[in-house]
Amino acid sequence: MTAQSAFDLIFRNALLRGAAAPMDIGVTRGRITAIEPTLACEAVEVDVGGRLALPGFVDSHIHLDKACLLGRCGHDHGSVSEAIRAVSGMKKDFTVEDVYARGARVLERAIVHGTTRMRTHVEIDPRIGLRGFEAVKALKRDYAWAIDLSLCVFPQEGLTNDPGSEELLVQALRDGGEVIGGCPYTDTDPNAHLARIFDLAEAFDVDVDLHLDFDLDPSWWHLDEVCRQTERRNYGGRVAIGHATKLSALPPERLKAATAQLAKAGVAVTVLPATDLYLMGREATHNAPRGLTLAHKLAADGVVCSIATNNVLNPFTPFGDASLLRMANFYANVAHASVNDFDTCLDLVTELPARLMNLLDYGIEVGNPADLVVLDTQDSRFAIAELPDIVMGFKSGRQTFACQRPTLFSPGC
């Protein structure tokens, strides 16, 4: 038993991943200052009741600016390009207030589903200007009490072929953009697009997060150029690619080589199950391909991977509730993950996206912010298997939400 008088808060009986028994977690001024079996101190106490405590889910790839568009256009879209055109036709009319309201709706769902860190991609081009960016900056400020929001600015519809986009990107990077993204498959000169994105990343010393290789034709791709640029600029560990569905279409030997190439270059991969499954293979009449890159297998071979939400209720993905736990369960089902893979599937929405985003203060460790979410289970594997209730959440030691467990009313009640 350790006595200390400086705690503001103690979490009692919190089961941490990998621990054999519950622990107490002491918090001082919003940070974890002790993790021990028993802490003796007069402080505010929260009894976790032996349930699983996590540092919160990490959503490494979402689009808050174009969420919740169902009802504004038809959704008979069968391809990536059709979804891009559908949103392009709408976003010229987006206002700051509109983007803020739709983004807030998704953020609040994410918070009560246990997400504490998030990277949102924000479209920057002459059609939307900086309106979406200004709205998401306001969301970052207004919801900082519950979630850390990082802004990745990117040109969805090209760069070299879209005059005015680069100047807007530079302006956004000067005014709070924290990561730069790209979408080379929408540009008439993909390699020039990538070179310019990396130039801007170096100029502003920010990480790179690209939309890449989003189809099922493995006869060509931009992965080689991304790895080449990453190595040439010594940017390993600072580059991520999202979708990368072409990897799912590779035969085993080519996939093995690509995996080694990604691991060597230090390029991370984010798989976006809801969107990738919705948009890939729609033209097939039978034996439809899934279009889902197997993140847990890439991770086992040394590639930093995550799975993330991407889009919610729009032409890219007309589904979604911003629950990463549900997304991890969905992924595990579709990816044929075995029971032995369930812990890795949980890693794909916690530890691994935190590494991808270079979050050095993530985790339930002494010195880190007291960010915790409590799941109604005593086994981390069952977090994936049974989708337990998320009971409560805390950000820097302050409670951000609580969810009541369902109550059954039997005839005798």
Side-chain angles (χ1 to χ4, degrees):
M1 179 179 293
T2 297
Q4 183 171 327
S5 59
F7 298 129
D8 304 318
L9 171 68
I10 297 177
F11 293 100
R12 299 286 188 194
N13 303 310
L15 184 65
L16 306 183
R17 289 186 70 184
M23 305 288 280
D24 288 353
I25 303 170
V27 178
T28 308
R29 292 186 292 277
R31 291 191 172 269
I32 297 169
T33 46
I35 303 174
E36 298 187 22
T38 305
L39 293 172
C41 178
E42 291 294 326
V44 175
E45 295 186 4
V46 174
D47 189 356
V48 178
R51 299 184 185 94
L52 179 67
L54 299 174
F57 299 111
V58 181
D59 203 330
S60 61
H61 188 128
I62 194 170
H63 295 262
L64 293 177
D65 56 339
K66 58 189 182 189
C68 303
L69 294 172
L70 286 179
R72 297 194 186 186
C73 67
H75 279 74
D76 295 327
H77 306 111
S79 69
V80 177
S81 59
E82 288 173 344
I84 291 173
R85 283 196 297 272
V87 173
S88 180
M90 289 184 281
K91 70 183 177 185
K92 65 180 183 300
D93 297 320
F94 288 174
T95 65
V96 173
E97 295 75 17
D98 171 46
V99 175
Y100 184 98
R102 290 184 287 103
R105 176 180 167 189
V106 174
L107 266 185
E108 290 177 8
R109 294 296 299 276
I111 290 164
V112 298
H113 287 312
T115 298
T116 56
R117 312 282 184 111
M118 177 182 284
R119 174 182 287 175
T120 182
H121 291 249
V122 185
E123 293 191 19
I124 306 287
D125 61 40
R127 287 156 295 286
I128 183 65
L130 296 175
R131 297 189 303 278
F133 178 66
E134 293 300 328
V136 177
K137 277 203 306 179
L139 289 169
K140 175 184 174 73
R141 178 195 66 224
D142 293 349
Y143 285 88
W145 55 271
I147 190 167
D148 293 325
L149 187 59
S150 174
L151 279 59
C152 175
V153 296
F154 87 112
Q156 171 76 81
E157 300 177 46
L159 183 61
T160 68
N161 57 328
D162 199 6
S165 289
E166 183 169 335
E167 290 79 5
L168 289 166
L169 276 174
V170 169
Q171 190 174 343
L173 288 167
R174 287 173 176 163
D175 195 27
E178 298 156 281
V179 182
I180 189 167
C183 197
Y185 54 79
T186 63
D187 203 308
T188 52
D189 191 341
N191 284 355
H193 179 114
L194 287 169
R196 194 62 194 129
I197 293 300
F198 274 91
D199 286 344
L200 290 171
E202 287 188 311
F204 286 91
D205 191 23
V206 295
D207 291 356
V208 175
D209 196 335
L210 303 160
H211 293 64
L212 203 78
D213 293 340
F214 194 14
D215 61 47
L216 297 178
D217 179 3
S219 66
W220 63 274
W221 62 13
H222 299 127
L223 185 147
D224 289 339
E225 180 63 14
V226 169
C227 290
R228 189 185 75 81
Q229 291 279 357
T230 301
E231 292 182 315
R232 183 171 74 83
R233 300 172 190 256
N234 195 29
Y235 240 60
R238 301 189 68 180
V239 178
I241 58 175
H243 299 294
T245 50
K246 287 178 185 285
L247 292 171
S248 73
L250 295 179
E253 286 307 310
R254 282 193 64 194
L255 179 60
K256 182 178 179 180
T259 302
Q261 182 181 15
L262 288 163
K264 177 176 178 290
V267 173
V269 176
T270 297
V271 173
L272 304 160
T275 303
D276 297 346
L277 284 160
Y278 178 69
L279 289 176
M280 295 296 100
R282 296 180 68 84
E283 71 286 352
T285 60
H286 59 284
N287 283 340
R290 300 179 184 200
L292 188 78
T293 291
L294 299 182
H296 68 289
K297 292 187 179 294
L298 291 181
D301 289 328
V303 180
V304 175
C305 290
S306 68
I307 57 178
T309 298
N310 196 41
N311 282 289
V312 177
L313 305 176
N314 73 10
F316 294 87
T317 321
F319 312 98
D321 60 359
S323 168
L324 282 176
L325 188 59
R326 184 186 64 82
M327 192 65 71
N329 171 277
F330 178 50
Y331 168 86
N333 274 272
V334 177
H336 289 156
S338 69
V339 174
N340 291 334
D341 296 321
F342 285 179
D343 266 322
T344 301
C345 290
L346 187 57
D347 290 338
L348 289 169
V349 290
T350 54
E351 306 293 339
L352 288 172
R355 283 180 57 193
L356 181 152
M357 292 172 60
N358 290 308
L359 302 178
L360 302 180
D361 62 350
Y362 177 83
I364 302 178
E365 299 177 7
V366 171
N368 284 350
D371 299 349
L372 279 80
V373 296
V374 178
L375 280 61
D376 192 15
T377 184
Q378 286 77 42
D379 189 324
S380 60
R381 293 173 303 169
F382 283 88
I384 298 298
E386 66 175 346
L387 293 176
D389 293 332
I390 300 174
V391 180
M392 66 183 90
F394 295 78
K395 185 68 178 168
S396 296
R398 177 190 176 275
Q399 188 161 8
T400 54
F401 73 90
C403 299
Q404 286 188 327
R405 295 183 64 184
T407 300
L408 290 175
F409 297 97
S410 67
C413 290

